[in-house]
Amino acid sequence: MARAKIADDVGGPATRAAVAGGADRNTIATAVRYLLQLLAERAPGNTVEVRVPPFGAVQCIPGPRHTRGTPPNVVETDAATFLALASGAMSWDEGVASGAVHASGQRASLEGLLPLRY
């Protein structure tokens, strides 16, 4: 069963609070899930799995569909890095070069999709 969509009037304020710093765990969780939702809406598809443990994961980007086992294209990072990427405080190249973003697979890139508007 799919998760309920996070409304803009909930996700936007949570994201702004989380990006500003000092937010509690529930606010950060809401912000990350909201931003993952926006990413999946911006680039619908099933080619790349974006993981931000422990808060959430989405499949996005058009192309070959993945259905079983470990996906061939995975982007994984922590919440703070994902918030920085989504807000534009960190570029995709900076995240990958620093090792804060782990991207595996030929199509595992979010370059051009970030930052997100929230």
Side-chain angles (χ1 to χ4, degrees):
M1 186 167 150
R3 284 189 174 266
K5 184 175 177 176
I6 298 171
D8 293 337
D9 64 341
V10 173
T15 300
R16 287 187 287 280
V19 168
D24 63 30
R25 181 178 169 84
N26 287 334
T27 302
I28 292 169
T30 299
V32 167
R33 290 178 185 130
Y34 178 69
L35 291 168
L36 286 169
Q37 172 184 298
L38 293 180
L39 178 62
E41 290 171 357
R42 183 172 189 180
N46 297 95
T47 297
V48 178
E49 185 165 295
V50 180
R51 300 174 180 167
V52 184
F55 301 118
V58 295
Q59 289 187 354
C60 59
I61 303 177
R65 182 176 182 86
H66 164 76
T67 56
R68 300 182 82 165
T70 301
N73 301 293
V74 176
V75 172
E76 187 167 338
T77 190
D78 60 71
T81 302
F82 186 66
L83 291 167
L85 290 167
S87 69
M90 177 186 290
S91 74
W92 176 255
D93 290 338
E94 290 170 334
V96 172
S98 71
V101 174
H102 303 281
S104 63
Q106 190 173 19
R107 300 179 59 135
S109 175
L110 301 179
E111 189 170 18
L113 297 173
L114 302 171
L116 296 167
R117 297 183 81 196
Y118 52 88

